[in-house]
Amino acid sequence: MKKKILLVISAVVSVTALFYIPAKADGIIIPEPPICEPCPIPSPMSQLEIRYHHVTVTIDDQIATTHVDQVFYNPNDWDVEGVYVFPIPVDATISDFILWMDGKPVQGEVLDADQARQTYEEIISTLRDPALLEYADMGALKASVFPIPPLNERRIELEYTQALTAENGLVRYIYPLGTEKFSIEPLENVSITVNVTARQPIRAVYSPSHPISISRESDYQILAGYEQQNVLPDQDFALFYSIGESEAFHLMTFRDRSDLKDPDGFFLLLLAPAIKESVRAIPKDVLIVLDRSGSMEGEKFEQAQQAVRYILNKLNPEDRFNLVTFSTGVEMYANNLQPVSEEDDAIHWLNRLRAEGSTDINRALLEAIYLVDTERPTYLIFLTDGLPTVGEVESEKIIANLNESSPGNLSLFAFGVGYDVDTYLLDSLTQAHHGISTYVVPGEPLDEILSAFYNKISAPVLTDLQLNFDDLVTSDIYPYPLPDLFIGSQIAVVGRYRQGGTFDVILSGLVNGSRQNFVYPDQEFEERSPDLEDSISSLPSLWATRKIGYMLQQVRLNGPDREIIDEIVRLSIRYGIVTPYTSYLVTEPLPLGAEEQERIASEEFNKFNDQATLPTFGRKAVEEAEGQSSLANADAVVSAPVEALGKVRTIGSHTFILSDRVWIDTMYDPDQMEVIEINFLSNEYFSIAKDQPELAAAFALGSQVIVVSGNQTYQVVDGESPIEQPAQTPLPTMINVDQSTPPMNTPGTDQPDPTLPNSPGSAALPCWGGLLIALLPMMTLLLVGKKTKVS
């Protein structure tokens, strides 16, 4: 396990272990003994609310300065005090840090990792709560925290500087956002902005952990941003970037040898073109096929015209173009491809067009294809808002006509506007012709979306890409087929590999009609990755996400296939891919083992058969097509829905599901695997956690865990009734210890509910004037109720 440091800013109090209250976050609650007189039982109180969590990062020649800004709100009618926890990123060397609370600087005191480990293990044993186990190798820093008055906010800012390290030729920045997985409530807003400047050109920029937007300010500066609302992040934010004049070719690999049933490794290739004067865009042809039927009348057609004008103005000097519009008939700007010098005349012709008539999609596409020059890369941009209504109207025949007529150098990109588009037709056409479909739903700006798309494909440098891995056995490479490579863009390729070792990788593609090979020698494919928390341990989930998306598209377009559906079920359960289409993890009681997964696959196969005749147009069809496309083309792991986080957790390359208070590794097959029992909090338990940090992260889920590691399966068993709640199950904010109050039962049963105050199985503690378990994001604020007087 890589070294971590923990910054703990805490109120200094003197208490015994009796009064420790666990917080399932990066620290503990250490309350002061109550002294109230008399001490009425207050009503349950809510936790602190997080107004926002903003992170601004400036990286200048691999020196990163991170500024964290958070505002917390106390909704209660009493003051709260507490512990503020901040984990410093893995392998980070911190040269300086500053902490402010409401603009006032706060000093800290450092504890080394050994002192912290001893403290954590004592608290774990006392509380019978393993949540701190995954932090047992962290150091700590502590300082005083000001109370937060009732109905008031407290703004906390932290700034630290670190030197970044490189990994496989990539500079790596990690921000510990993953601690937010312990928050009881989703965060209102999370944003991370990274401003990178370098002395050499910045090539590839990629986050395997989160979807980011990238703005290239210049060859030497980029802005990367992530923002989301109502979110509960469950993994750290990772950003990789490379610098240099040459093309970017970066390989990252991951192999989890603990998965004996599927031991093949995973790889990620980042490809980006070089920044050299000699590198120039390949001359290309652009065909724009524009729907001007009556349904396009008004704002839609005006925005489409604006986008076409933008594209014409952005053509490269050696490009050629033509415009094809269609309604009841087909009208072309010219009879053949035109040079860029004709763009002004083409714009005047475009401006005179009006939207009217029906929709002859088949004829429009066929006439456009007749213009294709097989010696140049051709990009056909097809925009429509409706279904074919005249001419050939059968989708299968339109698809067959284009497949028979289209040359291999054609890439077709479709834009479906609104919900009345045939998703089966558009997706079938783009998949068969090296493109992608984009759906513009009502209210979205068509002109901006189309213009942004063209910016990405305006300057091709390598087309018809192919990868060769020498003697290495590879499989399941996505995206499939590989897209073209453009100036200012990059491609992230994921796949599987059989054996580890050193191999040459050859990238080939067409440049001006001539195939060129680029050889990258001695690329290292790992035999085994260090541990489950490697910075790219999410790579298996990313690969599974893309493969599931691709297979779902194949089922939707080509009909259900039992083998494909079996694989969708297996992968979604193994890697925790929870989507509207693969929800077995949260809908099935225990979807583990070959027999159970066979049953689920059979039910899903029947479901797909039942849906085979459903309409291919309408809102539901568009949303389904968009969802599957986002999976197939994902650049980062798709987060599970908030409602699933209480039952599904991912640690490294392992996924765990919660069943009957036991966290179970989805690699576990109850019909075939024997378990090795380990008593919770025993000497053996702590010894294994110390020697195998990847298991410690799994053990931290709760007092009852089943985890597979190689040919061994460990089951942590708790001989006593567990006190803690599962790591993602909301805890009560107030513990009622009035022994005169009868136990509360689980709704609909006669059994006591251990999650409710003062019920058997819940913690019985002395009376407090107030207790708040606040599980905050990356920096976790753990709170203690205000001290009152007691008789």
Side-chain angles (χ1 to χ4, degrees):
M1 174 68 71
K2 301 181 177 84
K3 202 67 174 174
K4 300 178 183 176
I5 301 174
L6 186 66
L7 300 186
V8 181
I9 300 95
S10 62
V12 180
V13 293
S14 176
V15 294
T16 65
L18 174 64
F19 299 110
Y20 291 169
I21 304 299
K24 296 185 181 295
D26 296 343
I28 57 174
I29 293 176
I30 308 177
E32 297 185 12
I35 48 172
C36 51
E37 180 183 326
C39 188
I41 301 297
S43 60
M45 66 183 193
S46 61
Q47 63 180 29
L48 282 180
E49 298 175 7
I50 303 171
R51 296 302 199 201
Y52 63 74
H53 176 193
H54 296 166
V55 182
T56 305
V57 186
T58 302
I59 302 176
D60 190 358
D61 287 332
Q62 292 186 226
I63 302 298
T65 300
T66 301
H67 185 93
V68 184
D69 185 359
Q70 288 180 288
V71 168
F72 307 107
Y73 173 70
N74 176 13
N76 308 293
D77 57 2
W78 50 78
D79 290 355
V80 289
E81 306 174 21
V83 179
Y84 188 72
V85 179
F86 180 78
I88 294 298
V90 173
D91 285 347
T93 301
I94 303 301
S95 60
D96 190 19
F97 75 89
I98 307 172
L99 178 73
W100 299 271
M101 292 191 183
D102 291 338
K104 299 178 181 178
V106 177
Q107 299 297 320
E109 174 188 354
V110 177
L111 302 177
D112 63 36
D114 291 337
Q115 291 172 319
R117 170 178 285 276
Q118 182 179 0
T119 301
Y120 291 148
E121 290 188 357
E122 288 176 355
I123 296 170
I124 290 168
S125 297
T126 302
L127 303 176
R128 303 186 56 76
D129 186 329
L132 297 175
L133 194 60
E134 61 181 306
Y135 308 119
D137 63 343
M138 297 180 181
L141 183 145
K142 66 180 183 180
S144 298
V145 171
F146 304 125
I148 303 178
L151 307 180
N152 264 265
E153 294 181 345
R154 173 79 71 233
R155 183 180 183 185
I156 298 181
E157 297 173 86
L158 174 69
E159 184 172 290
Y160 61 91
T161 303
Q162 64 185 112
L164 301 182
T165 59
E167 183 175 298
N168 294 323
L170 291 172
V171 180
R172 181 186 65 169
Y173 172 80
I174 304 292
Y175 178 76
L177 191 62
T179 55
E180 296 187 1
K181 62 180 174 284
F182 296 112
S183 178
I184 291 177
E185 296 293 337
L187 279 68
E188 291 182 10
N189 178 271
V190 178
S191 68
I192 301 177
T193 303
V194 185
N195 187 343
V196 182
T197 57
R199 297 180 183 179
Q200 292 181 293
I202 301 172
R203 305 305 322 114
V205 182
Y206 182 68
S207 172
S209 60
H210 294 77
I212 60 172
S213 61
I214 301 172
S215 173
R216 293 186 176 272
E217 305 297 298
S218 70
D219 291 344
Y220 305 90
Q221 181 183 11
I222 64 97
L223 289 176
Y226 163 75
E227 183 170 5
Q228 202 164 355
Q229 288 77 38
N230 191 36
V231 62
L232 197 61
D234 60 352
Q235 59 181 327
D236 293 345
F237 174 84
L239 182 73
F240 292 87
Y241 69 92
S242 63
I243 56 177
E245 299 287 345
S246 63
E247 67 275 0
F249 181 96
H250 299 287
L251 173 69
M252 291 179 277
T253 63
F254 183 87
R255 183 194 289 270
D256 181 6
R257 282 294 189 178
S258 66
D259 190 349
L260 298 183
K261 288 186 176 181
D262 188 12
D264 287 1
F266 302 83
F267 69 83
L268 168 68
L269 274 177
L270 285 180
L271 309 173
I275 293 294
K276 296 179 180 177
E277 292 183 1
S278 59
V279 176
R280 66 185 184 88
I282 300 172
K284 67 182 186 296
D285 295 336
V286 178
L287 297 171
I288 301 175
V289 180
L290 177 61
D291 183 348
R292 64 179 186 93
S293 60
S295 59
M296 285 286 292
E297 185 180 12
E299 184 180 15
K300 283 192 293 186
F301 193 66
E302 293 173 2
Q303 288 187 347
Q305 289 176 304
Q306 178 62 30
V308 173
R309 287 191 288 268
Y310 178 88
I311 292 173
L312 294 177
N313 288 328
K314 292 293 183 178
L315 291 172
N316 299 321
E318 296 182 69
D319 289 347
R320 298 182 303 188
F321 74 95
N322 204 349
L323 307 181
V324 179
T325 66
F326 66 95
S327 57
T328 305
V330 176
E331 185 177 357
M332 291 192 293
Y333 164 67
N335 292 328
N336 48 42
L337 291 164
Q338 298 296 300
V340 173
S341 58
E342 294 293 317
E343 68 174 84
D344 288 340
D345 188 57
I347 289 175
H348 288 307
W349 179 83
L350 176 71
N351 291 341
R352 294 195 298 269
L353 297 177
R354 297 292 179 267
E356 56 187 5
S358 303
T359 310
D360 192 345
I361 290 176
N362 181 70
R363 183 182 166 194
L365 290 175
L366 288 177
E367 294 201 16
I369 287 174
Y370 292 149
L371 301 173
V372 174
D373 181 347
T374 57
E375 298 300 317
R376 288 161 62 108
T378 301
Y379 299 99
L380 191 158
I381 300 172
F382 171 46
L383 187 148
T384 183
D385 76 333
L387 307 173
T389 57
V390 295
E392 181 57 71
V393 296
E394 294 293 331
S395 297
E396 290 84 357
K397 292 183 179 180
I398 296 174
I399 294 167
N401 290 340
L402 262 70
N403 290 344
E404 292 173 3
S405 306
S406 301
N409 64 317
L410 175 70
S411 297
L412 192 156
F413 299 91
F415 288 81
V417 183
Y419 294 126
D420 294 326
V421 293
D422 188 339
T423 59
Y424 168 73
L425 173 63
L426 299 188
D427 289 351
S428 296
L429 291 175
T430 56
Q431 285 203 10
H433 299 94
H434 317 292
I436 191 171
S437 301
T438 300
Y439 294 95
V440 185
V441 301
E444 292 185 332
L446 171 61
D447 52 345
E448 294 179 15
I449 292 173
L450 191 54
S451 301
F453 159 78
Y454 182 76
N455 285 337
K456 296 178 182 178
I457 69 159
S458 63
V461 293
L462 198 64
T463 63
D464 191 25
L465 269 63
Q466 297 177 14
L467 281 169
N468 183 282
F469 292 86
D470 197 11
D471 294 326
L472 179 67
V473 178
T474 60
S475 62
D476 292 324
I477 296 175
Y478 301 99
Y480 176 81
L482 294 176
D484 295 344
L485 191 59
F486 304 91
I487 290 177
S489 71
Q490 61 193 33
I491 302 174
V493 182
V494 296
R496 304 294 302 270
Y497 66 91
R498 182 72 50 80
Q499 73 277 26
T502 302
F503 301 89
D504 295 346
V505 179
I506 302 171
L507 172 68
S508 69
L510 295 177
V511 178
N512 293 323
S514 175
R515 185 160 292 278
Q516 296 188 13
N517 294 329
F518 304 87
V519 181
Y520 302 92
D522 302 327
Q523 298 296 315
E524 183 68 26
F525 290 79
E526 286 182 323
E527 287 284 357
R528 178 185 175 92
S529 297
D531 56 58
L532 294 181
E533 293 195 353
D534 187 86
S535 58
I536 59 165
S537 61
S538 61
L539 179 52
S541 293
L542 174 60
W543 170 85
T545 298
R546 287 193 181 181
K547 181 168 184 178
I548 288 172
Y550 175 79
M551 290 190 296
L552 285 170
Q553 288 178 326
Q554 298 311 302
V555 170
R556 179 168 57 87
L557 299 179
N558 303 320
D561 178 278
R562 182 56 191 266
E563 290 186 4
I564 292 179
I565 291 175
D566 285 350
E567 185 73 352
I568 291 172
V569 170
R570 186 186 69 83
L571 290 177
S572 64
I573 292 174
R574 166 64 182 87
Y575 294 104
I577 311 299
V578 183
T579 75
Y581 324 107
T582 59
S583 58
Y584 334 110
L585 284 172
V586 294
T587 59
E588 299 293 334
L590 191 62
L592 302 180
E595 182 177 341
E596 185 65 15
Q597 292 181 19
E598 173 75 12
R599 179 190 64 79
I600 295 173
S602 179
E603 292 179 356
E604 292 301 315
F605 179 73
N606 294 332
K607 185 186 301 182
F608 276 111
N609 271 328
D610 294 340
Q611 295 176 348
T613 58
L614 291 179
T616 60
F617 60 92
R619 179 167 185 163
K620 184 176 181 180
V622 169
E623 290 176 347
E624 184 176 19
E626 283 187 306
Q628 293 176 5
S629 178
S630 67
L631 293 177
N633 298 284
D635 278 331
V637 176
V638 177
S639 299
V642 171
E643 59 270 18
L645 292 176
K647 188 176 180 180
V648 182
R649 285 283 303 279
T650 299
I651 296 178
S653 63
H654 289 228
T655 299
F656 295 82
I657 60 175
L658 182 64
S659 177
D660 293 332
R661 300 182 65 86
V662 181
W663 286 99
I664 304 175
D665 193 331
T666 57
M667 285 197 293
Y668 173 61
D669 187 337
D671 298 323
Q672 299 182 16
M673 296 180 180
E674 294 185 0
V675 299
I676 301 172
E677 288 192 356
I678 303 171
N679 288 323
F680 180 52
L681 304 183
S682 65
N683 292 335
E684 182 185 18
Y685 172 87
F686 284 112
S687 177
I688 292 175
K690 183 176 182 180
D691 294 339
Q692 302 182 62
E694 65 272 21
L695 292 182
F699 288 178
L701 288 170
S703 63
Q704 300 182 85
V705 178
I706 297 177
V707 56
V708 177
S709 180
N711 58 3
Q712 295 181 317
T713 302
Y714 297 98
Q715 180 173 9
V716 178
V717 295
D718 189 359
E720 301 182 19
S721 297
I723 294 177
E724 88 288 357
Q725 300 302 311
Q728 289 298 330
T729 300
L731 291 172
T733 58
M734 187 65 201
I735 297 177
N736 185 344
V737 295
D738 184 355
Q739 300 302 314
S740 64
T741 304
M744 297 182 181
N745 293 338
T746 304
T749 75
D750 294 329
Q751 301 301 316
D753 185 352
T755 68
L756 295 176
N758 196 36
S759 59
S762 65
L765 298 171
C767 172
W768 273 279
L771 172 65
L772 178 59
I773 299 179
L775 309 176
L776 303 183
M778 178 276 314
M779 292 166 288
T780 305
L781 189 57
L782 308 178
L783 302 171
V784 178
K786 182 178 179 181
K787 182 169 59 179
T788 55
K789 227 159 160 200
V790 58
S791 55

